[in-house]
Amino acid sequence: MNIGIVGLGLIGGSLGLDLRSLGHYVWGMSRSADTCAQAVRMGAADVAGPDPAELSVSDRTDVVFICTPIAAIIPTLANLVPYLPPRAIVTDVGSVKAAIVTPAEQLWRRFVGGHPMAGNASQGIHAAARQLFHQRPCVLTPSSDCEALATLRSLWQSVGGIVLECSPADHDRAVAWISHLPVFVSTSLIQACLQERHPHIAHLAQQMASSGFRDTSRVGGGNPELGRLMAEYNQTALLETLHTYQQVLQKTIAAIEAGQWQDLEAKLRESQEARSPYVSALLD
Ligand code: NAP
């Protein structure tokens, strides 16, 4: 297939690496000439540049993945529309769906929303890696275009993704629980540690931090722009989960203050059992 990737960063670059290794022709587009040159050098695109006119987008393209930051997805699609052949399928990888899918469908008839649940704390083309999507859930938000959906399903499966389908609204509510809330819980953890007033204790804590702190602080120490855009574009669902989290935390504080150790352990046991369905399908 002839595939375009716009926004050559962690997600776009990683997708390019996998799609090219499967034999697809990939053109890449990004604002910076350095990003584009690096993407070609590392094998994430066959050709890349900042200008769609120079990439022969119109005669070549079957599918375009828009992999820019969330706020740039709709403006990027609007700029691309004059160059796309009518049959081209367009999708995105943005971490929110309702705010993107509705305007994107108005701009392009063959648009299907997407979101691979994969990533790490790095960003930019240098962070791109092969197999990033292997065994990771990948959400598609079906439209009436069954053929476009089937093409995207098969492309994501070919790079190892486990495809799930749901509405943009359901995606945003579910992703608030397992992705956006954890970012703000994790960043609050780091912020709380910064409240330690005694420099000696703060330094000691840094020296003592090990795998538990590394795991619980990972998503809070990731891409700040991505975290801000999650909050901005999924504000309602994120606030619902944060308020629930606040209530749960308040109950935990009350149990510890009252010395209700049995109740506390019962909650910890319940959590130990409840965690498994969320993470059992994941490979490390
Ligand atoms: P990233 O590493 O920062 O890559 C984004 C790329 O887009 C950059 O390399 C940048 O290259 C280009 N770009 C930046 N601003 C732009 C703009 N205003 N207009 C056009 N291009 C722009 O980010 P990412 O982590 O790959 O995230 C990209 C998308 O994937 C986001 O929509 C995010 O919600 C989604 N996502 C991220 C993760 C994750 O964990 N990171 C997971 C799933 C989905 P140039 O500077 O060369 O243009």
Side-chain angles (χ1 to χ4, degrees), residues 7-12 30-32 35 67-70 72-73 76 93-95 115-120 122-125 223 226:
L8 295 164
L10 169 66
I11 300 294
S30 226
R31 294 169 310 174
S32 135
T35 307
C67 303
T68 65
I70 296 167
I73 291 173
T76 299
V93 296
S95 306
H115 179 200
M117 306 298 303
N120 57 45
S122 310
Q123 63 191 100
I125 188 66
N223 182 344
L226 179 55

mmCIF file of all heavy atoms in Angstrom, residues 7-12 30-32 35 67-70 72-73 76 93-95 115-120 122-125 223 226, ligand 1:
data_model
loop_
_atom_site.group_PDB
_atom_site.id
_atom_site.type_symbol
_atom_site.label_atom_id
_atom_site.label_comp_id
_atom_site.label_asym_id
_atom_site.label_seq_id
_atom_site.Cartn_x
_atom_site.Cartn_y
_atom_site.Cartn_z
ATOM 1 N N GLY A 7 3.394 14.006 10.813
ATOM 2 C CA GLY A 7 3.769 14.146 12.218
ATOM 3 C C GLY A 7 4.712 13.015 12.574
ATOM 4 O O GLY A 7 4.302 11.958 13.059
ATOM 5 N N LEU A 8 6.002 13.220 12.269
ATOM 6 C CA LEU A 8 6.982 12.137 12.440
ATOM 7 C C LEU A 8 7.637 12.232 13.822
ATOM 8 O O LEU A 8 8.745 12.741 13.964
ATOM 9 C CB LEU A 8 8.018 12.207 11.324
ATOM 10 C CG LEU A 8 7.453 11.944 9.914
ATOM 11 C CD1 LEU A 8 8.429 12.402 8.838
ATOM 12 C CD2 LEU A 8 7.104 10.464 9.737
ATOM 13 N N GLY A 9 6.929 11.741 14.819
ATOM 14 C CA GLY A 9 7.464 11.720 16.178
ATOM 15 C C GLY A 9 7.509 10.300 16.699
ATOM 16 O O GLY A 9 7.718 9.356 15.933
ATOM 17 N N LEU A 10 7.306 10.151 18.006
ATOM 18 C CA LEU A 10 7.338 8.813 18.611
ATOM 19 C C LEU A 10 6.355 7.870 17.916
ATOM 20 O O LEU A 10 6.739 6.771 17.482
ATOM 21 C CB LEU A 10 7.000 8.921 20.113
ATOM 22 C CG LEU A 10 6.741 7.598 20.841
ATOM 23 C CD1 LEU A 10 8.002 6.753 20.913
ATOM 24 C CD2 LEU A 10 6.187 7.851 22.237
ATOM 25 N N ILE A 11 5.084 8.286 17.822
ATOM 26 C CA ILE A 11 4.066 7.384 17.271
ATOM 27 C C ILE A 11 4.191 7.283 15.750
ATOM 28 O O ILE A 11 4.232 6.181 15.188
ATOM 29 C CB ILE A 11 2.647 7.859 17.688
ATOM 30 C CG1 ILE A 11 2.513 7.884 19.225
ATOM 31 C CG2 ILE A 11 1.580 6.974 17.051
ATOM 32 C CD1 ILE A 11 2.570 6.552 19.914
ATOM 33 N N GLY A 12 4.265 8.439 15.062
ATOM 34 C CA GLY A 12 4.348 8.421 13.607
ATOM 35 C C GLY A 12 5.602 7.705 13.113
ATOM 36 O O GLY A 12 5.549 6.905 12.174
ATOM 37 N N SER A 30 6.445 16.269 8.019
ATOM 38 C CA SER A 30 6.596 16.889 9.327
ATOM 39 C C SER A 30 7.059 18.311 9.077
ATOM 40 O O SER A 30 7.567 18.622 7.994
ATOM 41 C CB SER A 30 7.623 16.109 10.151
ATOM 42 O OG SER A 30 7.159 15.869 11.449
ATOM 43 N N ARG A 31 6.905 19.188 10.073
ATOM 44 C CA ARG A 31 7.238 20.601 9.831
ATOM 45 C C ARG A 31 8.732 20.812 9.640
ATOM 46 O O ARG A 31 9.162 21.597 8.805
ATOM 47 C CB ARG A 31 6.788 21.465 11.025
ATOM 48 C CG ARG A 31 5.306 21.541 11.220
ATOM 49 C CD ARG A 31 5.004 22.181 12.549
ATOM 50 N NE ARG A 31 5.764 21.549 13.642
ATOM 51 C CZ ARG A 31 5.792 21.961 14.888
ATOM 52 N NH1 ARG A 31 5.091 23.011 15.231
ATOM 53 N NH2 ARG A 31 6.503 21.319 15.801
ATOM 54 N N SER A 32 9.530 20.094 10.426
ATOM 55 C CA SER A 32 10.963 20.397 10.412
ATOM 56 C C SER A 32 11.717 19.523 9.407
ATOM 57 O O SER A 32 11.505 18.292 9.340
ATOM 58 C CB SER A 32 11.501 20.197 11.840
ATOM 59 O OG SER A 32 12.699 19.493 11.822
ATOM 60 N N THR A 35 13.650 16.730 11.122
ATOM 61 C CA THR A 35 12.823 15.565 11.472
ATOM 62 C C THR A 35 12.652 14.673 10.243
ATOM 63 O O THR A 35 12.782 13.451 10.323
ATOM 64 C CB THR A 35 11.422 16.001 11.962
ATOM 65 O OG1 THR A 35 11.571 16.938 13.011
ATOM 66 C CG2 THR A 35 10.587 14.834 12.434
ATOM 67 N N CYS A 67 -0.409 11.932 12.800
ATOM 68 C CA CYS A 67 0.240 11.591 14.078
ATOM 69 C C CYS A 67 0.833 12.837 14.740
ATOM 70 O O CYS A 67 1.852 12.750 15.444
ATOM 71 C CB CYS A 67 1.335 10.553 13.851
ATOM 72 S SG CYS A 67 0.765 9.043 13.051
ATOM 73 N N THR A 68 0.228 13.979 14.514
ATOM 74 C CA THR A 68 0.690 15.220 15.151
ATOM 75 C C THR A 68 0.124 15.303 16.570
ATOM 76 O O THR A 68 -0.766 14.523 16.932
ATOM 77 C CB THR A 68 0.180 16.443 14.366
ATOM 78 O OG1 THR A 68 -1.247 16.454 14.470
ATOM 79 C CG2 THR A 68 0.593 16.401 12.913
ATOM 80 N N PRO A 69 0.574 16.270 17.376
ATOM 81 C CA PRO A 69 -0.094 16.507 18.658
ATOM 82 C C PRO A 69 -1.595 16.788 18.431
ATOM 83 O O PRO A 69 -1.989 17.251 17.353
ATOM 84 C CB PRO A 69 0.622 17.749 19.196
ATOM 85 C CG PRO A 69 1.980 17.712 18.552
ATOM 86 C CD PRO A 69 1.756 17.141 17.191
ATOM 87 N N ILE A 70 -2.398 16.501 19.467
ATOM 88 C CA ILE A 70 -3.857 16.557 19.341
ATOM 89 C C ILE A 70 -4.334 17.878 18.722
ATOM 90 O O ILE A 70 -5.156 17.878 17.797
ATOM 91 C CB ILE A 70 -4.513 16.376 20.742
ATOM 92 C CG1 ILE A 70 -4.205 14.986 21.293
ATOM 93 C CG2 ILE A 70 -6.014 16.620 20.683
ATOM 94 C CD1 ILE A 70 -4.542 14.813 22.774
ATOM 95 N N ALA A 72 -3.087 19.855 16.710
ATOM 96 C CA ALA A 72 -2.741 20.105 15.303
ATOM 97 C C ALA A 72 -3.448 19.148 14.347
ATOM 98 O O ALA A 72 -3.320 19.298 13.128
ATOM 99 C CB ALA A 72 -1.223 19.996 15.128
ATOM 100 N N ILE A 73 -4.213 18.165 14.860
ATOM 101 C CA ILE A 73 -4.769 17.132 13.970
ATOM 102 C C ILE A 73 -5.777 17.722 12.971
ATOM 103 O O ILE A 73 -5.664 17.496 11.756
ATOM 104 C CB ILE A 73 -5.386 15.973 14.793
ATOM 105 C CG1 ILE A 73 -4.259 15.194 15.492
ATOM 106 C CG2 ILE A 73 -6.200 15.035 13.889
ATOM 107 C CD1 ILE A 73 -4.724 14.115 16.465
ATOM 108 N N THR A 76 -4.142 20.137 10.500
ATOM 109 C CA THR A 76 -3.310 19.353 9.571
ATOM 110 C C THR A 76 -4.177 18.708 8.494
ATOM 111 O O THR A 76 -3.848 18.748 7.300
ATOM 112 C CB THR A 76 -2.534 18.259 10.348
ATOM 113 O OG1 THR A 76 -1.694 18.903 11.303
ATOM 114 C CG2 THR A 76 -1.689 17.403 9.434
ATOM 115 N N VAL A 93 -4.113 9.252 15.321
ATOM 116 C CA VAL A 93 -3.691 8.435 16.467
ATOM 117 C C VAL A 93 -3.915 9.200 17.780
ATOM 118 O O VAL A 93 -3.372 8.825 18.818
ATOM 119 C CB VAL A 93 -2.206 8.033 16.363
ATOM 120 C CG1 VAL A 93 -1.967 7.138 15.151
ATOM 121 C CG2 VAL A 93 -1.303 9.260 16.290
ATOM 122 N N GLY A 94 -4.676 10.269 17.722
ATOM 123 C CA GLY A 94 -4.824 11.169 18.872
ATOM 124 C C GLY A 94 -5.408 10.487 20.101
ATOM 125 O O GLY A 94 -6.265 9.608 19.998
ATOM 126 N N SER A 95 -4.974 10.943 21.268
ATOM 127 C CA SER A 95 -5.367 10.318 22.534
ATOM 128 C C SER A 95 -6.784 10.678 22.979
ATOM 129 O O SER A 95 -7.241 10.164 23.994
ATOM 130 C CB SER A 95 -4.384 10.723 23.637
ATOM 131 O OG SER A 95 -3.080 10.425 23.239
ATOM 132 N N HIS A 115 -6.683 5.268 17.817
ATOM 133 C CA HIS A 115 -5.830 5.567 18.981
ATOM 134 C C HIS A 115 -5.106 4.303 19.434
ATOM 135 O O HIS A 115 -5.713 3.449 20.098
ATOM 136 C CB HIS A 115 -6.668 6.145 20.135
ATOM 137 C CG HIS A 115 -5.840 6.453 21.348
ATOM 138 N ND1 HIS A 115 -6.399 6.591 22.606
ATOM 139 C CD2 HIS A 115 -4.506 6.663 21.518
ATOM 140 C CE1 HIS A 115 -5.432 6.858 23.473
ATOM 141 N NE2 HIS A 115 -4.286 6.915 22.840
ATOM 142 N N PRO A 116 -3.822 4.174 19.080
ATOM 143 C CA PRO A 116 -3.057 3.036 19.606
ATOM 144 C C PRO A 116 -2.682 3.303 21.060
ATOM 145 O O PRO A 116 -2.173 4.379 21.378
ATOM 146 C CB PRO A 116 -1.804 3.031 18.712
ATOM 147 C CG PRO A 116 -1.637 4.453 18.283
ATOM 148 C CD PRO A 116 -2.999 5.081 18.252
ATOM 149 N N MET A 117 -2.942 2.321 21.920
ATOM 150 C CA MET A 117 -2.642 2.502 23.352
ATOM 151 C C MET A 117 -1.203 2.057 23.600
ATOM 152 O O MET A 117 -0.939 1.038 24.233
ATOM 153 C CB MET A 117 -3.613 1.689 24.207
ATOM 154 C CG MET A 117 -5.076 1.961 23.933
ATOM 155 S SD MET A 117 -5.565 3.657 24.268
ATOM 156 C CE MET A 117 -5.113 3.824 25.949
ATOM 157 N N ALA A 118 -0.275 2.829 23.040
ATOM 158 C CA ALA A 118 1.148 2.481 23.159
ATOM 159 C C ALA A 118 1.948 3.760 23.256
ATOM 160 O O ALA A 118 1.534 4.788 22.737
ATOM 161 C CB ALA A 118 1.587 1.696 21.927
ATOM 162 N N GLY A 119 3.063 3.708 23.913
ATOM 163 C CA GLY A 119 3.903 4.900 24.007
ATOM 164 C C GLY A 119 4.940 4.717 25.081
ATOM 165 O O GLY A 119 5.073 3.638 25.668
ATOM 166 N N ASN A 120 5.717 5.748 25.297
ATOM 167 C CA ASN A 120 6.646 5.755 26.425
ATOM 168 C C ASN A 120 6.886 7.207 26.814
ATOM 169 O O ASN A 120 6.227 8.101 26.287
ATOM 170 C CB ASN A 120 7.947 4.995 26.085
ATOM 171 C CG ASN A 120 8.633 5.551 24.865
ATOM 172 O OD1 ASN A 120 8.766 6.769 24.738
ATOM 173 N ND2 ASN A 120 9.068 4.682 23.971
ATOM 174 N N SER A 122 9.229 9.162 26.150
ATOM 175 C CA SER A 122 10.025 9.964 25.220
ATOM 176 C C SER A 122 9.151 10.570 24.133
ATOM 177 O O SER A 122 8.000 10.190 23.960
ATOM 178 C CB SER A 122 11.085 9.088 24.562
ATOM 179 O OG SER A 122 11.785 8.376 25.533
ATOM 180 N N GLN A 123 9.724 11.483 23.397
ATOM 181 C CA GLN A 123 9.000 12.065 22.279
ATOM 182 C C GLN A 123 9.965 12.412 21.152
ATOM 183 O O GLN A 123 11.183 12.446 21.342
ATOM 184 C CB GLN A 123 8.216 13.308 22.719
ATOM 185 C CG GLN A 123 9.079 14.437 23.223
ATOM 186 C CD GLN A 123 8.256 15.530 23.888
ATOM 187 O OE1 GLN A 123 8.184 15.580 25.116
ATOM 188 N NE2 GLN A 123 7.645 16.373 23.103
ATOM 189 N N GLY A 124 9.392 12.663 19.965
ATOM 190 C CA GLY A 124 10.198 13.048 18.814
ATOM 191 C C GLY A 124 10.646 11.844 17.998
ATOM 192 O O GLY A 124 10.559 10.696 18.445
ATOM 193 N N ILE A 125 11.160 12.122 16.805
ATOM 194 C CA ILE A 125 11.529 11.049 15.868
ATOM 195 C C ILE A 125 12.635 10.147 16.437
ATOM 196 O O ILE A 125 12.652 8.950 16.180
ATOM 197 C CB ILE A 125 11.946 11.635 14.487
ATOM 198 C CG1 ILE A 125 12.153 10.531 13.451
ATOM 199 C CG2 ILE A 125 13.189 12.522 14.576
ATOM 200 C CD1 ILE A 125 10.934 9.761 13.073
ATOM 201 N N ASN A 223 5.624 13.241 28.425
ATOM 202 C CA ASN A 223 5.478 14.431 27.574
ATOM 203 C C ASN A 223 4.467 15.439 28.166
ATOM 204 O O ASN A 223 3.269 15.176 28.198
ATOM 205 C CB ASN A 223 5.015 13.934 26.190
ATOM 206 C CG ASN A 223 4.853 15.035 25.175
ATOM 207 O OD1 ASN A 223 4.795 16.203 25.514
ATOM 208 N ND2 ASN A 223 4.780 14.639 23.912
ATOM 209 N N LEU A 226 1.526 16.563 25.865
ATOM 210 C CA LEU A 226 0.504 15.528 25.678
ATOM 211 C C LEU A 226 -0.432 15.490 26.883
ATOM 212 O O LEU A 226 -1.657 15.416 26.732
ATOM 213 C CB LEU A 226 1.183 14.168 25.452
ATOM 214 C CG LEU A 226 0.274 12.955 25.262
ATOM 215 C CD1 LEU A 226 -0.710 13.174 24.125
ATOM 216 C CD2 LEU A 226 1.102 11.697 25.008
HETATM 217 P P1 NAP B 1 5.774 13.543 19.389
HETATM 218 O O1 NAP B 1 6.776 12.492 19.619
HETATM 219 O O2 NAP B 1 5.990 14.904 19.970
HETATM 220 O O3 NAP B 1 5.590 13.666 17.799
HETATM 221 C C1 NAP B 1 4.725 14.578 17.179
HETATM 222 C C2 NAP B 1 5.360 15.028 15.893
HETATM 223 O O4 NAP B 1 4.457 15.913 15.234
HETATM 224 C C3 NAP B 1 6.651 15.810 16.164
HETATM 225 O O5 NAP B 1 7.779 15.025 15.871
HETATM 226 C C4 NAP B 1 6.553 17.052 15.324
HETATM 227 O O6 NAP B 1 7.553 17.031 14.313
HETATM 228 C C5 NAP B 1 5.149 17.043 14.725
HETATM 229 N N1 NAP B 1 4.460 18.265 15.174
HETATM 230 C C6 NAP B 1 4.556 18.875 16.384
HETATM 231 N N2 NAP B 1 3.744 19.937 16.437
HETATM 232 C C7 NAP B 1 3.136 20.002 15.243
HETATM 233 C C8 NAP B 1 2.195 20.906 14.701
HETATM 234 N N3 NAP B 1 1.724 21.939 15.402
HETATM 235 N N4 NAP B 1 1.788 20.699 13.447
HETATM 236 C C9 NAP B 1 2.266 19.651 12.728
HETATM 237 N N5 NAP B 1 3.161 18.771 13.205
HETATM 238 C C10 NAP B 1 3.588 18.952 14.441
HETATM 239 O O7 NAP B 1 4.336 13.087 19.884
HETATM 240 P P2 NAP B 1 3.735 11.607 19.951
HETATM 241 O O8 NAP B 1 3.938 11.083 21.313
HETATM 242 O O9 NAP B 1 4.197 10.839 18.780
HETATM 243 O O10 NAP B 1 2.194 11.946 19.825
HETATM 244 C C11 NAP B 1 1.602 12.152 18.567
HETATM 245 C C12 NAP B 1 0.116 11.819 18.650
HETATM 246 O O11 NAP B 1 -0.005 10.493 19.146
HETATM 247 C C13 NAP B 1 -0.671 12.726 19.591
HETATM 248 O O12 NAP B 1 -1.877 13.086 18.984
HETATM 249 C C14 NAP B 1 -0.906 11.859 20.825
HETATM 250 O O13 NAP B 1 -2.150 12.164 21.440
HETATM 251 C C15 NAP B 1 -0.928 10.465 20.211
HETATM 252 N N6 NAP B 1 -0.512 9.381 21.107
HETATM 253 C C16 NAP B 1 0.614 9.527 21.890
HETATM 254 C C17 NAP B 1 0.985 8.471 22.718
HETATM 255 C C18 NAP B 1 2.196 8.568 23.615
HETATM 256 O O14 NAP B 1 2.284 7.865 24.620
HETATM 257 N N7 NAP B 1 3.158 9.404 23.299
HETATM 258 C C19 NAP B 1 0.245 7.285 22.740
HETATM 259 C C20 NAP B 1 -0.846 7.157 21.885
HETATM 260 C C21 NAP B 1 -1.221 8.214 21.078
HETATM 261 P P3 NAP B 1 7.984 18.408 13.614
HETATM 262 O O15 NAP B 1 8.428 19.313 14.705
HETATM 263 O O16 NAP B 1 9.025 18.020 12.653
HETATM 264 O O17 NAP B 1 6.750 18.883 12.924
#
